[in-house]
Amino acid sequence: MFESKSTIYVQKRAKNPRFTLNTQGYYLKDDSYAITLSQAYQRHDKYTKVILAVLNSTIAHFWLVKLGRKKGKSLELYPQVLATIPMPNVELIKETDIIKLDDAINSGNLLDVADRFAVNWFNLDMEDINIMNKYIVDNQ
């Protein structure tokens, strides 16, 4: 299970949660979670890439601040809350978005573009992201 190309890791406690993709077969410590896709989705790289982008977006951070537990300024990330983060319908995402997303992941720029993709996929605008960022700053 942990050697799947579709494994996403996250620290259990973080001020700014960052989700990373395992492609090298490393194992995690007890202070992290592994998120794996079901077998049906593991055959399609695009699912993993879209999920990784959404998890690293302001939308997911907002969701975790709003519904998650806090310990000081850090969020305590639990599977029950992580499982409720909204995801777009991957089938409706354009192949060009997947290619651009793949380039961003490979170049290490995912954090720079995650919000732009998420805004498009959820039919929001950047003003919505600004409101979410303000909520995060005020409530974390």
Side-chain angles (χ1 to χ4, degrees), residues 23-81:
T23 59
Q24 303 301 317
Y26 58 87
Y27 296 91
L28 65 150
K29 298 182 341 183
D30 62 349
D31 67 344
S32 302
Y33 288 121
I35 301 169
T36 56
L37 297 177
S38 66
Q39 289 288 348
Y41 295 112
Q42 285 182 11
R43 291 188 275 278
H44 305 285
D45 261 355
K46 73 179 186 177
Y47 291 103
T48 304
K49 293 171 186 170
V50 168
I51 291 168
L52 187 64
V54 171
L55 290 174
N56 281 297
S57 72
T58 299
I59 295 168
H61 192 178
F62 168 78
W63 190 269
L64 294 170
V65 169
K66 184 110 171 117
L67 298 178
R69 294 185 192 165
K70 296 171 201 79
K71 185 166 189 167
K73 295 248 179 212
S74 294
L75 296 170
E76 290 187 324
L77 306 175
Y78 291 98
Q80 297 84 352
V81 176

Side-chain angles (χ1 to χ4, degrees), residues 86-118:
M87 290 292 154
N89 183 345
V90 177
E91 298 300 322
L92 299 177
I93 295 174
K94 299 173 191 166
E95 195 60 37
T96 56
D97 281 359
I98 301 300
I99 292 167
K100 290 176 188 173
L101 184 56
D102 190 42
D103 290 343
I105 292 168
N106 291 333
S107 66
N109 294 326
L110 176 62
L111 296 178
D112 298 333
V113 299
D115 281 342
R116 284 194 310 231
F117 284 113

Side-chain angles (χ1 to χ4, degrees), residues 119-138:
V119 161
N120 185 31
W121 298 336
F122 286 106
N123 294 318
L124 301 172
D125 58 40
M126 288 310 287
E127 181 59 30
D128 296 319
I129 296 297
N130 293 335
I131 292 168
M132 289 180 206
N133 276 322
K134 182 176 179 352
Y135 182 89
I136 292 167
V137 168
D138 293 344

